[in-house]
């Protein structure tokens, strides 16, 4: 005979405790009354009212908390947006106003560090600019003395030396102009870039140069008129000087003013495209050996464009020639 093991019966639950128990999911319960009848309890297959209440409570709570959450996130994101705007402004104008020291202690400390970095960068650039300007300026005196001492030299030697002195004086003057253009505080105002470009093109066309400007819409932007005109003149004159002519187009593309100066010259070797924007680099090896400037035209043009938040790039033109592209934000 096998003995049947006793199955432990669960301890009874008092009605008070049972009322506080919430059963989730499907279940079935039965209770036999003293008269022998059974009462069966099963969940109703429907969305109970209490669930509607919970769902409504969650929706109302989310709607009530959303404005406060948005305001809190906006407050936390505001310093980050300020830093992003300051970094973008610093790239366009190194002498832009510093950040305001406001907000929590950590934010104010970060803003102070950013302002210190900006001040140090400006001092570094100013120191280098001052040294270059001083050296270029002081070179004028020894060049003048050399010119005076050559008056007693033989004619052939004097003419050769005077030619070298003139070249050096031109180099000094160009270097001083480059330092002045890249270090002076820009004065910006709304200007019509198409009218400015038409002025440059018309002046060169009146001299008999083969320069044309394609028709298009008016493009207005904030900039330094003198610096922008020097930039456009530089690009067009390079094409005229090295290729004998220029085809200029001006369009508005993705919120930028895009000026293209195209020529049909010999172009620039690929290995020199990365160096033509270096100061004093001359690329006449790929164009004309008998011509060529000091090597500060394109660096000056790129410096002006970047000071306005844009850039200048060079690329080979399909079919031969070069395309100089100036891009400035509108």
């Amino acid at each position: 005979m096998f003995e049947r093991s006793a199955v432990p019966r669960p301890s009874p639950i008092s009605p008070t405790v049972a009322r506080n128990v919430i059963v989730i999911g499907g279940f079935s319960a039965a209770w036999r009354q003293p008269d022998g009848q059974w009462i069966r309890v099963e969940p109703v297959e429907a969305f109970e009212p209490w669930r509607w209440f919970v769902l409504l409570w969650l929706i109302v709570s989310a709607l009530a908390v959303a404005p406060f959450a948005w305001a809190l996130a906006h407050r936390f994101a505001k310093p980050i947006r300020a830093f992003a705007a300051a970094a973008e402004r610093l790239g366009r104008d190194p002498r832009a106003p510093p950040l305001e020291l406001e907000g929590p202690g950590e934010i104010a400390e970060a803003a102070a560090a950013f302002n210190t970095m900006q001040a140090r960068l400006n001092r570094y650039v100013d120191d280098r600019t001052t040294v270059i300007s001083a050296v270029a300026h002081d070179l004028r005196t020894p060049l003048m003395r050399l010119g005076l001492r050559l008056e007693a030299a033989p004619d052939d030697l004097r003419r050769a030396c005077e030619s070298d002195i003139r070249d050096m004086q031109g180099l000094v003057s160009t270097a001083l102009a480059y330092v002045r253009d890249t270090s002076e505080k820009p004065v910006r105002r709304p200007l019509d870039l198409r009218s400015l470009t038409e002025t440059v093109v018309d002046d060169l066309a009146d001299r008999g140069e083969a320069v044309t400007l394609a028709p298009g819409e008016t493009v207005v932007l904030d900039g330094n008129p003198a610096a922008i005109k020097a930039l456009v003149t530089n690009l067009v004159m390079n094409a005229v000087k090295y290729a004998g002519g220029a085809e200029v187009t001006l369009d508005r593309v993705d919120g930028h003013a895009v000026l293209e100066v195209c020529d049909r010259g010999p172009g620039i070797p690929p290995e020199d495209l990365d160096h033509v924007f270096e100061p004093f680099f001359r690329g006449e090896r790929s164009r004309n050996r008998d011509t060529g400037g000091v090597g500060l035209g394109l660096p000056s043009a790129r410096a002006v464009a970047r000071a306005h938040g844009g850039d200048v790039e060079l690329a080979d033109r399909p079919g031969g020639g070069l395309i100089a592209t100036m891009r400035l934000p509108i």
Side-chain angles (χ1 to χ4, degrees):
M1 298 294 295
F2 295 96
E3 290 187 7
R4 180 178 297 177
S5 59
V7 178
R9 297 174 61 86
S11 59
I13 301 177
S14 64
T16 303
V17 175
R19 291 192 187 98
N20 298 326
V21 175
I22 298 177
V23 180
I24 299 176
F27 69 93
S28 178
W31 174 46
R32 185 176 183 179
Q33 300 182 85
D35 59 358
Q37 295 183 358
W38 289 85
I39 296 178
R40 185 172 181 176
V41 179
E42 292 180 348
V44 179
E45 298 295 333
F47 204 77
E48 292 84 349
W50 68 269
R51 296 186 180 181
W52 286 108
F53 174 77
V54 171
L55 180 60
L56 181 62
W57 182 83
L58 290 176
I59 294 175
V60 172
S61 301
L63 293 177
V65 173
F68 298 98
W70 179 86
L72 187 63
H74 181 75
R75 182 178 180 181
F76 285 148
K78 183 178 179 181
I80 299 176
R81 290 196 301 268
F83 275 110
E88 194 273 339
R89 186 170 61 249
L90 178 62
R92 297 179 59 180
D93 183 8
R95 302 186 184 278
L99 277 173
E100 296 182 1
L101 302 180
E102 60 180 6
E106 294 79 4
I107 299 299
E109 184 178 355
F114 185 90
N115 293 337
T116 302
M117 177 196 68
Q118 180 178 355
R120 288 175 178 173
L121 287 174
N122 287 330
R123 285 198 301 268
Y124 174 75
V125 174
D126 290 342
D127 291 342
R128 290 172 63 90
T129 302
T130 301
V131 170
I132 295 174
S133 178
V135 171
H137 183 273
D138 292 344
L139 281 175
R140 291 180 171 181
T141 300
L143 289 175
M144 183 182 64
R145 290 201 299 264
L146 285 174
L148 295 175
R149 292 173 182 174
L150 285 173
E151 293 181 356
D155 293 341
D156 295 341
L157 178 62
R158 186 179 69 253
R159 284 193 295 268
C161 292
E162 287 177 347
S163 177
D164 293 337
I165 291 175
R166 284 193 298 271
D167 292 341
M168 294 178 67
Q169 289 175 340
L171 177 62
V172 169
S173 299
T174 306
L176 289 174
Y178 173 76
V179 171
R180 181 179 63 254
D181 294 340
T182 55
S183 61
E184 66 179 3
K185 186 176 180 179
V187 178
R188 299 182 182 179
R189 62 177 178 81
L191 61 91
D192 186 347
L193 185 57
R194 178 164 292 278
S195 297
L196 186 147
T197 305
E198 288 177 351
T199 301
V200 175
V201 171
D202 291 342
D203 289 343
L204 292 174
D206 292 341
R207 302 179 194 175
E209 305 292 351
V211 181
T212 59
L213 173 63
E217 62 178 350
T218 300
V219 179
V220 179
L221 53 81
D222 288 336
N224 186 338
I228 297 295
K229 183 175 182 179
L231 191 162
V232 175
T233 302
N234 198 322
L235 296 180
V236 178
M237 283 297 299
N238 271 353
V240 172
K241 186 175 183 179
Y242 296 114
E247 302 168 14
V248 185
T249 60
L250 176 61
D251 294 306
R252 185 195 302 262
V253 180
D254 297 333
H256 287 74
V258 180
L259 178 78
E260 289 188 348
V261 181
C262 306
D263 63 53
R264 286 300 181 184
I268 296 179
E271 62 271 14
D272 287 344
L273 286 175
D274 295 335
H275 301 288
V276 291
F277 291 103
E278 298 176 0
F280 302 107
F281 180 86
R282 299 176 63 182
E284 68 272 10
R285 291 170 299 144
S286 61
R287 291 182 173 225
N288 191 336
R289 296 179 179 270
D290 298 328
T291 61
V294 178
L296 291 176
L298 288 176
S300 178
R302 171 169 278 186
V304 171
R306 289 183 171 178
H308 287 75
D311 205 351
V312 174
E313 298 177 348
L314 297 180
D316 290 330
R317 185 181 184 184
L322 197 68
I323 301 177
T325 304
M326 178 195 74
R327 184 182 297 269
L328 297 178
I330 298 177

